[in-house]
Amino acid sequence: MSQSSAPQFRGQRVDTGSKWYDLFQKGVELGTWNVERLFEEVGFEEDREVWQSLDDRERDQIRYLLSGFLDGEREVAGDAATNLQRIMGAPCLEDNEAKEMYMTMLTLTEHKHTQFIDVYMREVMDDRDNYAELDPRRGTRIPIVQATGLGEVFENQGLQTAKAAQTLDPVDIAKAATVYHLNVEGILARVGGFAINRLSQEAYLPLLNHGFKFVSTDEGRHITHGVELLKELVAKEEAGEPEFQGVKRGIVRTLHHDVPYMADFAYMFTDAVGDPLGLDIDDILLRGGHLIDGMYNETLGLDIDYVEMLDRVNDRYQEIREWDLEDVVEEEESHYRRRRGVATDGRGDR
Ligand SMILES: [Fe+2]
Ligand SMILES: [Fe+2]
């Protein structure tokens, strides 16, 4: 069982008193859910029946949401295995050994999330969103992700984590952790999890629901890691260490960069599609706002201007209203179908 107090043993290279050791150990004990076993125990049948009973607009809303997760989980798994793993060994950080150990747990769970969502979409839904043969690592994303700001956020995550893995500079690490742990995991994944929970009131998909309970618990540990990492960097900046000057500014700038793009994905699966499953855009945005306030202001002690954030969201909303979103998505889909060599319009063979 988990050691709530310090363990009675110690290592030589491994610091069993480190909070990252503790997170690693929690990952070993609690992150062990088995995706295949969940498929066996809950089965696909009930979800398939519910899916068949939904109308096109309801399906679209679920497809958009899960498409964001599918591309997102794949991106975070890839960046964790490469860039974040390397960042955890940066000389400017404490507890490198325990942080590197923890990162293996994070990577493992992100791959399980990808495994769950990928198989779920194939088995329960249909294959029009998966585009498995077009590798997202080479710049091909699911149309809805490509058509919205979500793709921009994942792009920024890749850029910032790759840069920090190269420079191992504290300010670059702060920016990378901000987009990865606070914005993608702490805001997008949490708000997405909230939306999945909410849609189950209208369309209860038992397997999806069970899977996302595990996903959310895993994400909680990932966010704790990210917040603790950023607290370490902020504390050193505040202690006056020269190398760390600019950490807080880097965190705030990264939020400002990502916020409008995160916001327009919310519009895609709520307002813009008529919200047949009652996810409620206002609730979603409120939830996002609380998460920003809790992580950035309360936990990290920053001073994020709420009104300015809302203004940015609003500006983006005005911009996105000018688009015909269905056209944008349709354009991406037809582009993909051409690459796939499929001659039909896609919808006909669903
Ligand atoms: Fe995940
Ligand atoms: Fe995660």
Side-chain angles (χ1 to χ4, degrees):
M1 284 305 291
S2 175
Q3 308 285 334
S4 48
S5 54
Q8 299 302 306
F9 43 81
R10 305 199 71 79
Q12 292 182 83
R13 296 183 177 207
V14 178
D15 177 5
T16 53
S18 156
K19 66 179 84 156
W20 274 275
Y21 174 83
D22 200 43
L23 272 176
F24 168 76
Q25 195 52 31
K26 281 206 175 86
V28 171
E29 291 169 12
L30 305 171
T32 56
W33 65 289
N34 180 335
V35 175
E36 283 199 4
R37 187 159 306 147
L38 187 70
F39 289 151
E40 280 163 26
E41 282 172 7
V42 182
F44 298 101
E45 220 32 64
E46 215 178 316
D47 287 57
R48 281 186 190 129
E49 278 169 28
V50 175
W51 180 257
Q52 292 304 325
S53 74
L54 299 175
D55 66 32
D56 273 355
R57 283 175 50 222
E58 291 168 327
R59 287 184 191 184
D60 279 350
Q61 198 166 23
I62 297 174
R63 289 172 40 229
Y64 289 167
L65 196 49
L66 288 189
S67 295
F69 270 101
L70 182 64
D71 264 2
E73 298 291 358
R74 176 83 158 82
E75 293 286 323
V76 290
D79 286 336
T82 53
N83 300 331
L84 291 192
Q85 188 67 45
R86 190 171 148 78
I87 291 168
M88 292 309 115
C92 68
L93 298 177
E94 309 286 338
D95 292 329
N96 295 104
E97 185 88 34
K99 281 190 174 88
E100 286 171 342
M101 285 168 70
Y102 172 67
M103 193 46 64
T104 64
M105 281 295 115
L106 189 147
T107 302
L108 172 69
T109 49
E110 298 301 9
H111 281 298
K112 286 200 294 187
H113 300 172
T114 310
Q115 176 192 13
F116 173 74
I117 296 164
D118 182 47
V119 174
Y120 185 89
M121 289 177 82
R122 163 76 175 71
E123 290 295 327
V124 174
M125 297 160 68
D126 46 54
D127 75 343
R128 67 177 292 215
D129 299 292
N130 211 316
Y131 301 96
E133 72 277 34
L134 305 177
D135 184 353
R137 300 296 297 178
R138 298 195 199 113
T140 306
R141 299 184 197 284
I142 294 168
I144 188 70
V145 177
Q146 183 72 23
T148 67
L150 202 58
E152 294 288 334
V153 183
F154 297 156
E155 208 59 49
N156 197 32
Q157 175 196 296
L159 286 171
Q160 300 299 336
T161 58
K163 186 179 179 206
Q166 277 300 310
T167 65
L168 301 181
D169 171 78
V171 176
D172 290 339
I173 294 173
K175 290 179 181 170
T178 301
V179 58
Y180 190 108
H181 298 294
L182 301 191
N183 296 348
V184 173
E185 298 186 302
I187 300 173
L188 285 175
R190 266 178 165 177
V191 166
F194 166 74
I196 285 179
N197 205 20
R198 171 67 71 85
L199 74 83
S200 71
Q201 291 166 14
E202 296 293 321
Y204 183 64
L205 298 150
L207 180 58
L208 186 69
N209 230 265
H210 270 83
F212 266 87
K213 285 208 171 73
F214 288 117
V215 170
S216 300
T217 311
D218 292 340
E219 292 303 339
R221 288 193 307 279
H222 302 173
I223 296 161
T224 301
H225 154 81
V227 166
E228 291 297 330
L229 178 66
L230 286 163
K231 273 161 77 177
E232 180 182 319
L233 297 169
V234 167
K236 290 194 175 181
E237 179 179 32
E238 288 176 346
E241 293 194 29
E243 213 193 335
F244 291 75
Q245 299 310 303
V247 159
K248 286 195 272 191
R249 196 175 57 218
I251 297 171
V252 173
R253 283 190 177 170
T254 306
L255 175 67
H256 283 205
H257 174 275
D258 289 347
V259 148
Y261 301 119
M262 294 193 289
D264 80 49
F265 186 65
Y267 292 117
M268 286 303 293
F269 67 81
T270 55
D271 219 19
V273 295
D275 196 18
L277 294 169
L279 299 184
D280 191 346
I281 183 68
D282 293 333
D283 256 21
I284 296 277
L285 291 179
L286 193 66
R287 178 66 56 131
H290 285 157
L291 290 168
I292 290 175
D293 197 36
M295 291 188 297
Y296 284 86
N297 291 338
E298 281 173 37
T299 309
L300 292 175
L302 301 170
D303 190 19
I304 302 292
D305 183 343
Y306 228 74
V307 178
E308 199 196 331
M309 279 308 112
L310 289 176
D311 282 350
R312 277 172 173 267
V313 171
N314 233 331
D315 288 351
R316 181 66 176 177
Y317 188 40
Q318 297 309 327
E319 211 178 294
I320 210 167
R321 281 171 66 161
E322 308 286 308
W323 308 356
D324 186 333
L325 291 171
E326 276 182 22
D327 274 2
V328 179
V329 175
E330 176 50 34
E331 205 176 293
E332 295 290 343
E333 288 189 345
S334 66
H335 171 65
Y336 279 29
R337 282 196 297 274
R338 278 199 303 279
R339 291 184 62 171
R340 247 182 175 179
V342 177
T344 64
D345 68 358
R347 288 201 171 240
D349 45 81
R350 272 210 281 175

